[in-house]
Amino acid sequence: DAGVIQSPRHEVTEMGQEVTLRCKPISGHDYLFWYRQTMMRGLELLIYFNNNVPIDDSGMPEDRFSAKMPNASFSTLKIQPSEPRDSAVYFCASSRSGVPSGANVLTFGAGSRLTVL
Amino acid sequence: AQSVTQLGSHVSVSEGALVLLRCNYSSSVPPYLFWYVQYPNQGLQLLLKYTTGATLVKGINGFEAEFKKSETSFHLTKPSAHMSDAAEYFCAVSYTGTASKLTFGTGTRLQVTL
């Protein structure tokens, strides 16, 4: 298995531009998570999906952020318009349902490093 | 609400020395506890996890952790550090009913010196 695949690995954009980050989870995994990592705030859960349905988006910072999962093999995280404070590494992770329930083991992608100028 | 606290954002040890990375959790219900490792420019990967049963958990690369309910701790140890252990280590917690929502600590960067 190729693991969780994220693209792009690096993105540099200017303030106000739209940014789309992409994720392909591991086949057969029914959970997908988007995390953001910064020096100041560490790892923050933005949103997660179960069977393509958003379950908890309470971590999405504001309306500029949106995430979709149109099918089991693809998800996007969009920022529109982008701001310098959005600069971070964005990780996608996927997992099977945990055993016991709630004890999911996440497999992370390599991350997308976003720089907003 | 659940949370984890990692004491020490940076830890430095000599090669061959004991590694001890500290993690304390806060949870009103029995927790599930995890340690993940992140190498430079990579995503996180699982080292070990505790869910139920034996409180001493062994993971990959010679690491182990012990769940101590009385101390609300889940410290990570390795008897002898290797240069390849240099990375950032994250403790994380979830519990049944959270629908798989992991809460991560702030991380501890481990430096291994000759």
Side-chain angles (χ1 to χ4, degrees):
Chain A
D1 196 322
V4 177
I5 300 172
Q6 292 187 246
S7 65
R9 288 296 312 276
H10 301 274
E11 173 96 2
V12 180
T13 191
E14 294 190 347
M15 183 173 62
Q17 296 299 304
E18 178 179 295
V19 173
T20 299
L21 307 179
R22 298 172 177 81
C23 176
K24 177 178 169 54
I26 291 174
S27 177
H29 281 190
D30 53 348
Y31 282 86
L32 183 139
F33 305 81
W34 282 101
Y35 282 87
R36 177 171 69 176
Q37 185 178 37
T38 61
M39 289 291 291
M40 291 296 293
R41 301 174 69 93
L43 270 165
E44 303 173 276
L45 176 64
L46 300 177
I47 185 172
Y48 77 93
F49 297 82
N50 180 215
N51 293 321
N52 313 338
V53 176
I55 302 301
D56 186 343
D57 65 354
S58 60
M60 296 286 261
E62 46 198 277
D63 292 346
R64 298 184 296 107
F65 285 70
S66 63
K68 294 182 179 180
M69 192 166 186
N71 57 61
S73 59
F74 184 66
S75 177
T76 60
L77 178 68
K78 186 174 294 187
I79 308 172
Q80 167 62 15
S82 58
E83 297 182 3
R85 60 193 167 124
D86 302 331
S87 297
V89 180
Y90 291 82
F91 287 102
C92 176
S94 69
S95 77
R96 298 183 190 278
S97 297
V99 178
S101 175
N104 291 32
V105 173
L106 275 59
T107 300
F108 282 77
S112 294
R113 181 176 295 276
L114 174 64
T115 302
V116 183
L117 303 174
Chain B
Q2 65 206 34
S3 66
V4 288
T5 301
Q6 292 186 241
L7 293 176
S9 58
H10 289 85
V11 171
S12 182
V13 300
S14 300
E15 190 173 36
L18 171 72
V19 175
L20 171 61
L21 304 182
R22 300 179 186 274
C23 172
N24 287 87
Y25 68 90
S26 172
S27 176
S28 57
V29 297
Y32 302 140
L33 295 159
F34 306 79
W35 276 99
Y36 282 80
V37 60
Q38 183 180 28
Y39 298 102
N41 299 314
Q42 295 185 26
L44 284 71
Q45 54 185 279
L46 181 72
L47 271 179
L48 49 80
K49 68 174 183 178
Y50 168 80
T51 54
T52 58
T55 56
L56 182 62
V57 180
K58 295 185 185 299
I60 61 172
N61 301 336
F63 284 93
E64 61 182 38
E66 187 171 10
F67 170 62
K68 292 187 176 180
K69 185 178 177 180
S70 61
E71 299 177 8
T72 61
S73 68
F74 191 59
H75 302 331
L76 182 70
T77 60
K78 182 174 180 177
S80 176
H82 191 272
M83 295 295 288
S84 61
D85 295 326
E88 188 147 21
Y89 293 79
F90 293 89
C91 185
V93 64
S94 70
Y95 57 90
T96 186
T98 58
S100 312
K101 190 171 176 177
L102 264 183
T103 299
F104 284 90
T106 51
T108 298
R109 185 168 297 278
L110 176 66
Q111 180 182 20
V112 182
T113 59
L114 289 173

